[in-house]
Structure formats: C-alpha cells, structure tokens
Amino acid sequence: MTATVLDGKSLSLQMEAELAVRIQALKAKLSGKSPVLATILVGDDPASATYVKMKGDACERIGMASRKVILPESTTTAELLQEIDQLNADPLVHGILLQHPVPKQIDERICFDRIDIKKDVDGVTTLGFGKMAMSEPAYGSSTPAGIMHLLRHHGIAIEGKHVVVIGRSPILGKPIAMMMLNANATVTHCHSRTRGLAELVGLADIVVAALNQPEFVKGAWIKEGAVVVDAGYHPGRIGDVELAAVIDRCSAYTPVPGGVGPMTIATLMAQTIEAAEKYA
Amino acid sequence: MTATVLDGKSLSLQMEAELAVRIQALKAKLSGKSPVLATILVGDDPASATYVKMKGDACERIGMASRKVILPESTTTAELLQEIDQLNADPLVHGILLQHPVPKQIDERICFDRIDIKKDVDGVTTLGFGKMAMSEPAYGSSTPAGIMHLLRHHGIAIEGKHVVVIGRSPILGKPIAMMMLNANATVTHCHSRTRGLAELVGLADIVVAALNQPEFVKGAWIKEGAVVVDAGYHPGRIGDVELAAVIDRCSAYTPVPGGVGPMTIATLMAQTIEAAEKYA
C-alpha cells in the first residue's frame, strides 16, 4: 500500500494564498490598515521564540500585521494580565496569541482565560473550549483545528471511525478528542495512566499521537491501513510515532516536520482573519 | 459474585443530613434567611414538572428555600433570558436550575449560558464545562458529578481503568467522559454513530450508559466483574442497561430507580449550598 502523505506544508501554502486575498479585501474595510495579530512571548525559551517568529513570518507572508509583545522571564501574572487587558481593549488588534508555555511563576490558565473570546484566535480559553465542545461557534485550538482541516482536505472519513487520541493537554489532546467526537468518531482517550496502550492503539482507524515523547508510539502497535497523525516534534526531525516502522502499512500519515506544524500556523492565521472579518 | 449495589438513595439521604447541618450554619450568616435555589420550569412536560417538584421537595427536606419560577409553554427565548437575568441579579438567590428540556422554540443553549457562573449550580454553562474540563474550579453537571461521588463513596477505583461512556449529551455524556478522564481513566466515548458497540462495551471496566434508550445496552455485552452505571430511567422502572442479564456477573451496579437519580438531586443541593457558602 502506498500511504497518502498528509502534507501540511503544501496545504498551508494554499491556505496562505487564499488568506492573502481576504486580507486585501479586509484592508479596504479597515481604511487601508492591515488586520493585526498580537503575539506575546514571555521569557527566554528558545523553542517558544522560534514558534513566535514563525507566526510573525507567516503574518508577513500573507500581508497581515503582527504586534510583537516581548516580556522578560521574570514577568508576573499581574503584569501579563495587564498586557492582555491592553490588547483586549485595543480596537486595532484582532487576535491575540499567548505563546505556550510561559515561565513557571505565571498562572498560565488565568492568563489564557483573560483573552477576550472575540480575540481568542488560538482557541486557548476555557470558554472557547466549552463552546467548541457544545458545537457553539468558537475558534478551535489551532493545532487540533489544523489537524481536522488537514484530514478533511484529504477526504479522510471520520464519522463512525474509531479514533485513539494519546495525550490530554488543554490545547491539543482534550480539544482534538472533542472535535473528533463532534465529527461523529468513536473516541478512545489515552494518556500516561493508560494500561494496555499498545492494544488500544491497535484498535484505531485513526491514531492521534499528542503525548510529546519522541517515538513513544511504536509502529508495530498500529493497525494496517490506519491513519497516523503525529503532533510531536523532537530533535532529529522525529515525532511521537515511530513513523519509519509503520509508513508501509498505514493508509495515510502526517510527516514530521511538514505535517501538523504548518497547519497550526495556517489555522492561527485563518482564525485571526475570520475575527477581523467578523468584528472589524 | 455478589455485586455491590451502588445505592444512590441511601447516599443521598446521608448527604441530605449533612447538608441540613450546613444550612443551619448558613442561616446564621444570612441573618436568619435560608439559602435559595431558584428553579425554572418552562412548559407542560409532565416529566420535567416531576423533576422540578422532586428538587423543590429536596430543598424542603434540608431546610433550603426554593423560588419556583413557572413559565408557559409559549415562552420565548427573550422572555426566559429576562427571568434568568432577574435571578442572576437577585442577591437572595444562590443557585439557578433551568429544567431541561425547554420547549422547542427556545434556544436552550443561550439560556443555559446566561446563567451566572457563580449561580450555575447545575453545571450547565459552556464556561462551567470548559473550566471543569481544564480542572479549574466549577460546579460539575449534577448527574455526572453525582455519579462520580457515588463511585468514590463506594471506593470504586477509577485511575487506570477503562471507562466506556455511551451517549454524548451536553449535561451527561460529555461531562462524565471529561470527569473520568480527569480522574485518570482511559475513556472510550461511544454514541449513536459508533460501530461495534457491543465489542467496545466488552472492554470496559466501568460502563456508563447515558443514551436514554430502554435496555439498549445488553447484559451479555458487559465484561464479567465490570461496574455498571445506568443513567437511564424509563417506564417500567428500567434503565438503559438490561440489568437483569448482568446483575450476577458485574461487580457493582446502580439500581434503577434509586441509583443515579437521587444523586443528581443531592448533588444539586450540595452545589447550591457550596455557592451560598462561597458568595453569601
């Protein structure tokens, strides 16, 4: 079987081209101004700095403005909340991204939840999660929303399929499980306390690995013909799945890199533009 | 094997006795006034009228006041929202119960979400669901929160167990799946579009039937020694599980009636008192 490559890089470029056109239309509405994504980077984590830079670069490619807020490692919760309040109040800002993770002295949940739901284009608030879970309008968390888009783009059937999600983080595992459930999949949600993980993974028509452990999910666990979504990214260009061992037996897979990662950024862009179209 | 009866009736009576004591303490704080649960019943559904009456009776048994709002079948969304706004603003009201379901011309989701999170003692708002899902303080939806309490009271281990939830309603299936996940269970979430339901149920250490179909879940599907939680209630005193066929093989089960139902009401009472203690 030749597996379909779920090429997120390629789809994200298509999305960017479409978004660039919508931005031109938006500019007319905004008296010549570009919509704005505010990005907040707190502290010195080099990976976070890279992710924020990639998001700023994507804004630039499609003609969207970004407002870069950079705060020191020593920032307090109160200081970060104040920054968020300012961005919430600023009519020129259409979306707010607070890069996860923040330094450990900050209460990340309180800060995420301070983001105005109208500007929560990265889908990180508890309110946004609750709305999405109840099929109400809300911006989904970028990474899981990007995965859903990628699967749909490739015509991967979800309804009635058995999806096994591994990992239960607030911005990935929990929302993707809920999105899959709402798309009529049967969802088995596994995590660090799960017993018999290999057998459960073996039941999956679609495996979503989001546990952030290099090649933790062995290729041999995965059923022949399954779809493999790998949301991990680790040094050595590997993900959470031992992809080399399953690539000849699965029906489709996301490459690492170039699968889930670019979809996260493109989804963030798309949701920011949607917010600008809606509230500008 | 003699199965443990997860006797919700008995536990609810114990809870009521404890709650009555807390209400006496609260009255001192409230200058002699009782805490108040407002109940809203819209329309002529006889089952809903019965449920609201049972909740009012429970208030009376424990010395809590209830404010009964009864609205006609023809009530509009706007009219119901206005009632909710009044109860939100009233400092004498500590909790609000909007009995589900409301007549079909009403947008139930908008009405649920209008309830102030501080008074959402029945755990029906999307914000409350989101907070609960992210392990933030929030009142859980009464029925699933009552089930969790009943299982814990009987020392049923949840961590690392495989829980199969059948049904995905906003106030039962979705929240119980999330509560089980947060209690470190591996959760398989099934519903009307699930294929191979019998086999999946057969994997469960704990089965939660919440699909509202009389005896849809066959006793033979259930693994020997499993725990059976039946949230259904249908004419003829039967639930969603064919209980007679599994009662000799399971390790514990909720009877119908007298299992989940009384726990729903006791949980609603407990959460109203918690709200009164917190905000009075």
Side-chain angles (χ1 to χ4, degrees), chain B residues 212-216 230-244 255-257:
Chain B
N212 201 26
Q213 298 282 346
E215 296 195 341
F216 187 94
D230 189 340
Y233 181 61
H234 307 282
R237 300 166 73 86
I238 58 171
D240 289 353
V241 180
E242 190 197 21
L243 202 54
V256 178

Side-chain angles (χ1 to χ4, degrees), chain B residues 26-49:
Chain B
L26 260 170
K27 277 185 171 175
K29 201 171 155 190
L30 296 168
S31 334
K33 288 200 188 77
S34 295
V36 175
L37 172 67
T39 62
I40 310 176
L41 172 64
V42 189
D44 310 320
D45 182 51
S48 292

Side-chain angles (χ1 to χ4, degrees), chain A residues 10-90:
Chain A
S10 155
L11 178 56
S12 73
L13 291 174
Q14 268 184 54
M15 288 171 71
E16 286 189 2
E18 290 160 18
L19 294 173
V21 174
R22 281 163 66 188
I23 284 178
Q24 291 313 310
L26 261 171
K27 278 186 171 175
K29 203 172 154 192
L30 296 168
S31 333
K33 287 200 188 77
S34 295
V36 174
L37 172 66
T39 62
I40 310 176
L41 172 63
V42 189
D44 308 321
D45 181 50
S48 292
T50 301
Y51 288 133
V52 169
K53 183 179 182 312
M54 287 166 79
K55 291 163 188 174
D57 291 351
C59 287
E60 204 162 305
R61 283 196 301 274
I62 62 175
M64 183 152 69
S66 62
R67 168 102 50 101
K68 293 181 177 66
V69 178
I70 298 174
L71 299 172
E73 183 73 28
S74 61
T75 302
T76 64
T77 299
E79 287 163 348
L80 180 50
L81 289 174
Q82 199 173 19
E83 287 290 337
I84 293 168
D85 286 343
Q86 281 176 20
L87 296 170
N88 281 339
D90 188 337

Side-chain angles (χ1 to χ4, degrees), chain B residues 24-239:
Chain B
Q24 291 314 310
L26 260 170
K27 277 185 171 175
K29 201 171 155 190
L30 296 168
S31 334
K33 288 200 188 77
S34 295
V36 175
L37 172 67
T39 62
I40 310 176
L41 172 64
V42 189
D44 310 320
D45 182 51
S48 292
T50 301
Y51 288 132
V52 169
K53 183 180 181 311
M54 289 166 79
K55 291 164 188 175
D57 291 350
C59 288
E60 206 161 305
R61 283 196 300 274
I62 62 174
M64 183 151 69
S66 62
R67 169 102 50 100
K68 294 183 176 63
V69 177
I70 298 175
L71 299 172
E73 183 73 29
S74 61
T75 302
T76 64
T77 300
E79 286 162 349
L80 180 51
L81 288 175
Q82 199 171 17
E83 287 291 338
I84 294 168
D85 286 343
Q86 280 176 21
L87 296 170
N88 281 340
D90 189 336
L92 297 179
V93 171
H94 301 96
I96 300 172
L97 165 89
L98 170 58
Q99 183 63 46
H100 165 83
V102 294
K104 61 183 182 310
Q105 78 277 7
I106 294 178
D107 185 328
E108 185 178 75
R109 175 46 59 201
I110 286 181
C111 295
F112 273 161
D113 282 347
R114 190 72 153 244
I115 297 172
D116 188 326
I117 184 87
K118 295 190 182 73
K119 300 188 181 187
D120 179 25
V121 294
D122 200 33
V124 296
T125 60
T126 51
L127 178 58
F129 176 81
K131 282 176 177 278
M132 179 278 287
M134 299 309 165
S135 303
E136 293 292 304
Y139 303 113
S141 180
S142 291
T143 301
I147 291 169
M148 298 303 286
H149 189 149
L150 184 60
L151 295 176
R152 288 186 171 123
H153 176 79
H154 285 277
I156 308 275
I158 294 171
E159 175 159 332
K161 299 295 178 181
H162 191 168
V163 177
V164 173
V165 173
I166 313 159
R168 52 177 167 168
S169 71
I171 56 179
L172 183 42
K174 283 179 177 173
I176 191 96
M178 197 54 79
M179 290 173 190
M180 289 291 188
L181 182 74
N182 285 341
N184 293 325
T186 298
V187 179
T188 294
H189 206 157
C190 301
H191 46 79
S192 54
R193 311 296 177 87
T194 291
R195 298 174 195 159
L197 180 61
E199 288 70 29
L200 290 170
V201 168
L203 300 175
D205 301 308
I206 302 173
V207 177
V208 181
L211 67 162
N212 201 26
Q213 298 282 346
E215 296 195 341
F216 187 94
V217 178
K218 302 306 165 201
W221 297 358
I222 294 170
K223 183 170 73 175
E224 182 155 341
V227 174
V228 178
V229 176
D230 189 340
Y233 181 61
H234 307 282
R237 300 166 73 86
I238 58 171

Side-chain angles (χ1 to χ4, degrees), chain A residues 133 159 174 185-189 191, chain B residues 133 174 185 187-189 191 194:
Chain A
E159 176 159 331
K174 284 179 177 173
T186 299
V187 178
T188 294
H189 205 158
H191 46 80
Chain B
K174 283 179 177 173
V187 179
T188 294
H189 206 157
H191 46 79
T194 291

